[in-house]
Amino acid sequence: YELFDVEDPTVQYTAGEQLLIDGYRQLSQGHRHAVSRLVDTLLEVQAAESCPKIRKLTFFERSLAAGIGDPTEFEDEGEPIFLYASEAVDRADCVFSVNGDSMEPDYPDGCMVLVKRISDSGELTPGDIGAFMIDNETYIKEYREDGLHSLNPKYDVIRFSDEESVYLIGRVIGVLSPESIATEEDVKRYLAIHGNAEN
């Protein structure tokens, strides 16, 4: 088409695009390379901006017992879970599943909860829902000054002495909706852009 000065019917450029092409053709080889790198960088930025915002948290296989405790020790490091960003997800550090009915109806058996980790010196306010480890058993309970309460009235208050080992894992922020879990396709896009880096 160029040889015979005939318009290529498969290529239609706007006047602005044609000016860019004409300018590109006038550049030296080194400057053409710089333009190509700039275009690649801008395309990467554009792809990142179009990708849904995703947070990488830690999902602990060990369930928070809402009933009978899990006797294994809280040692596993968990595995990554990719969630769409939201106010609650952005405040959380990790995800646990709930096992049992003692916290129903707010935290039903089998649901997943978002937890904000708290250091050993952290404290809960009475009425907060927390994730606890008591003598190597993990629980989700409402903290009150007289002990740990279940929302289901058929369960007794858990009280403990100063000699017992009680560890606060963190504050329960809320129930994780299944729609908050990123699709496999979005996770692949996220990893392609961010790699395994923490966000």
Side-chain angles (χ1 to χ4, degrees):
Y1 292 109
E2 288 184 15
L3 181 63
F4 293 100
D5 197 24
V6 176
E7 185 175 331
D8 183 349
T10 64
V11 178
Q12 294 182 347
Y13 298 114
T14 65
E17 290 171 335
Q18 190 60 54
L19 281 173
L20 285 174
I21 291 170
D22 292 343
Y24 178 81
R25 288 178 176 163
Q26 295 176 43
L27 293 174
S28 67
Q29 192 62 35
H31 289 158
R32 287 184 182 186
H33 179 71
V35 169
S36 296
R37 293 284 303 270
L38 176 61
V39 169
D40 289 343
T41 300
L42 291 174
L43 288 172
E44 288 176 10
V45 170
Q46 184 172 290
E49 289 173 346
S50 67
C51 184
K53 291 188 177 180
I54 291 177
R55 288 283 318 276
K56 177 181 167 186
L57 303 184
T58 302
F59 174 65
F60 288 98
E61 294 286 349
R62 176 180 189 157
S63 297
L64 292 174
I68 300 172
D70 181 346
T72 61
E73 289 198 24
F74 184 68
E75 289 181 345
D76 63 70
E77 296 181 4
E79 60 184 43
I81 184 169
F82 296 90
L83 307 175
Y84 295 115
S86 68
E87 183 181 348
V89 168
D90 291 347
R91 290 169 47 213
D93 298 309
C94 52
V95 176
F96 285 87
S97 59
V98 173
N99 178 27
D101 65 350
S102 76
M103 293 299 284
E104 291 185 348
D106 292 3
Y107 303 92
D109 182 26
C111 75
M112 299 170 77
V113 292
L114 295 163
V115 175
K116 174 69 176 173
R117 295 295 300 264
I118 298 177
S119 67
D120 292 344
S121 61
E123 294 182 357
L124 292 181
T125 302
D128 286 343
I129 305 297
F132 300 89
M133 179 189 290
I134 305 170
D135 292 331
N136 296 327
E137 297 178 358
T138 52
Y139 293 92
I140 174 174
K141 296 293 175 191
E142 179 184 343
Y143 168 71
R144 294 187 198 166
E145 292 181 357
D146 65 335
L148 303 180
H149 290 250
S150 300
L151 300 182
N152 186 334
K154 74 177 185 180
Y155 287 86
D156 295 331
V157 176
I158 297 177
R159 294 182 172 87
F160 38 84
S161 65
D162 293 338
E163 290 76 32
E164 289 180 279
S165 174
V166 179
Y167 173 70
L168 172 61
I169 298 170
R171 180 180 286 106
V172 175
I173 295 172
V175 176
L176 177 66
S177 69
E179 296 79 23
S180 294
I181 300 174
T183 64
E184 186 176 339
E185 180 181 328
D186 284 341
V187 171
K188 285 180 180 177
R189 289 175 62 195
Y190 170 86
L191 292 175
I193 295 168
H194 300 282
N196 292 321
E198 294 290 334
N199 61 347

